[in-house]
């Protein structure tokens, strides 16, 4: 126990002896079977984390995996929009059921439970965290090879709850090529290290814009520093996604499953999801 310990282990990442005596990991629903869980995180909002989550899920599903998305961004849920899902989630006395996308990806999001998708979720931290736990424990996920968890930005209540309650096999960090990128990644990596969660990859979204006329890539948000930042933390897998109006249009129209991005395809292979999880 540290000198500053207040006895609230659920809000602490320190690996002390007292902490080892208990585990906060929650078991999934008894009818669920989930082989691998990957969190998608960011140190700040607006970097395209939900977009990357959706693309990872689509690419993994195309390679023969049975894929699910747990949308843990309770106050800013955008996964249903990307997949064009209007159907509401259902349930019975046994539990809740995720909604299937057009191509069979299982999805659970708070927007699938609200009467109107534009209704704001005005809840305090403990309720948000409790909802995420229920998406893990009360939803019947059936047979899932790989689940992607779309986390809200930052290092607050919900990310901490996911890190402690859901047995993550690793995380993917999403960022952009701006001056504060180093600090943002540092925060995410430090939190992952404190919680003993492996960092599998870093993805730099909006990495530049390729001119359709001359083919030159313009660094609209500044020069990329992602390789140096990744090397600092010993992260070997780094990917970049260029600004693509067609990709934005696919998300806005709910057609993310019709879009193919070579960078994400390569990343899926590097994460060992190319031929299904065994």
């Amino acid at each position: 126990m540290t000198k500053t310990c207040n006895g609230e282990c659920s809000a602490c990442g320190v690996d002390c002896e007292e902490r080892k005596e208990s585990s906060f990991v929650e078991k999934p629903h008894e009818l669920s079977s989930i082989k691998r869980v990957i969190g998608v995180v960011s140190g700040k909002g607006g970097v395209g984390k939900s977009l990357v989550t959706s693309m990872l899920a689509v690419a993994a599903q195309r390679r023969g995996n049975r894929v699910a998305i747990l949308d843990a961004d309770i106050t800013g849920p955008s996964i249903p929009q990307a997949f064009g899902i209007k159907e509401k989630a259902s349930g019975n006395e046994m539990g809740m059921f995720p909604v299937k996308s057009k191509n069979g990806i299982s999805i659970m999001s708070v927007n699938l439970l609200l009467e109107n998708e534009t209704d704001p979720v005005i809840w305090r931290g403990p309720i948000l965290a409790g909802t995420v736990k229920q998406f893990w424990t009360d939803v019947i996920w059936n047979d899932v090879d790989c689940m992607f968890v779309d986390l809200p930005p930052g290092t607050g209540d919900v990310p901490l709850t996911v890190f402690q309650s859901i047995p993550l096999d690793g995380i993917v960090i999403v960022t952009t090529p701006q001056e504060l990128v180093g600090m943002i990644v540092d925060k995410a990596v430090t939190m992952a290290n404190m919680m003993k969660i492996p960092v599998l990859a870093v993805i730099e979204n909006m990495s530049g814009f390729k001119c359709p006329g001359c083919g030159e890539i313009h660094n609209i948000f500044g020069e990329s520093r992602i390789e140096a930042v990744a090397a600092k933390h010993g992260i070997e897998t780094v990917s970049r996604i260029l600004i693509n109006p067609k990709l934005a249009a696919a998300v806005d129209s709910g057609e993310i499953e019709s879009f193919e991005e070579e960078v994400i395809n390569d990343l899926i292979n590097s994460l060992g999801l190319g031929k299904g999880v065994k």
Side-chain angles (χ1 to χ4, degrees), residues 45-60:
V47 301
K49 171 183 50 57
S50 297
L51 167 68
V52 170
T53 301
S54 301
M55 295 172 71
L56 287 170
V58 170

Side-chain angles (χ1 to χ4, degrees), residues 25-201:
V25 175
E26 299 281 351
K27 292 183 179 180
H29 192 283
E30 61 181 0
L31 297 179
S32 295
S33 175
I34 306 166
K35 294 180 181 177
R36 192 172 182 188
V37 185
I38 296 176
V40 182
V41 309
S42 65
K44 65 184 292 295
V47 301
K49 171 183 50 57
S50 297
L51 167 68
V52 170
T53 301
S54 301
M55 295 172 71
L56 287 170
V58 170
Q61 195 258 358
R62 284 175 178 165
R63 280 155 180 73
N65 295 286
R66 291 164 296 188
V67 178
I69 299 177
L70 191 161
D71 188 356
D73 195 349
I74 305 299
T75 59
S78 54
I79 295 296
Q81 169 66 35
F83 286 87
I85 296 176
K86 302 298 182 183
E87 176 187 351
K88 298 302 179 183
S90 61
N92 57 27
E93 66 279 359
M94 298 186 67
M96 295 186 290
F97 299 98
V99 175
K100 294 280 189 178
S101 71
K102 297 173 185 177
N103 293 337
I105 296 175
S106 299
I107 296 172
M108 177 54 74
S109 170
V110 74
N111 257 18
L112 304 179
L113 302 173
L114 299 175
E115 183 176 354
N116 300 302
E117 63 178 17
T118 56
D119 289 344
V121 177
I122 309 175
W123 299 341
R124 294 191 182 277
I127 299 178
L128 296 174
T131 301
V132 172
K133 279 187 180 182
Q134 284 187 288
F135 283 176
W136 174 254
T137 61
D138 295 1
V139 173
I140 301 173
W141 292 102
N142 290 324
D143 293 326
V144 174
D145 290 321
C146 185
M147 172 184 284
F148 294 95
V149 182
D150 184 23
L151 281 80
T155 56
D157 284 346
V158 174
L160 180 60
T161 295
V162 171
F163 275 43
Q164 290 185 323
S165 302
I166 298 177
L168 297 176
D169 293 286
I171 64 169
V172 172
I173 299 174
V174 183
T175 186
T176 54
Q178 295 168 306
E179 280 290 341
L180 70 165
V181 63
M183 179 189 70
I184 293 169
V185 176
D186 284 348
K187 287 179 179 291
V189 172
T190 299
M191 182 177 185
N193 290 339
M194 290 176 65
M195 308 304 295
K196 302 190 183 303
I197 306 293
V199 179
L200 305 177

Side-chain angles (χ1 to χ4, degrees), residues 2 4 14 26 60 136 167 202 212 246 252 255:
T2 64
T4 58
V14 178
E26 299 281 351
W136 174 254
V202 177
K246 292 182 179 179
D252 289 342
E255 296 292 336

